Amino acid sequence: MPTATWSADCGATWAQPVRLNDLSERANQGASIAIDPRNGVVYIGWRQFDVSTNNTGVDALMTVKYT
């Protein structure tokens, strides 16, 4: 389950993690992270797999913008 957190004191303490995906998205792999140097916005991308037994789920490339 992809989550994100942050630290304002070089890692001495961390904020509570924030969930990045829906609870129904159970098979995720390969997170990649990029930070916009102009404003500090974090972009995270990963691969989501359909693990349903009747192929009703979604195979997808997922992205989120974390501000």
Side-chain angles (χ1 to χ4, degrees), residues 28-60:
N28 301 286
Q29 180 183 45
S32 295
I33 301 170
I35 301 170
D36 187 333
R38 299 169 297 171
N39 54 23
V41 172
V42 178
Y43 296 90
I44 305 169
W46 68 94
R47 177 78 163 90
Q48 174 184 296
F49 295 94
D50 175 11
V51 294
S52 65
T53 56
N54 57 0
N55 295 325
T56 58
V58 176
D59 286 320

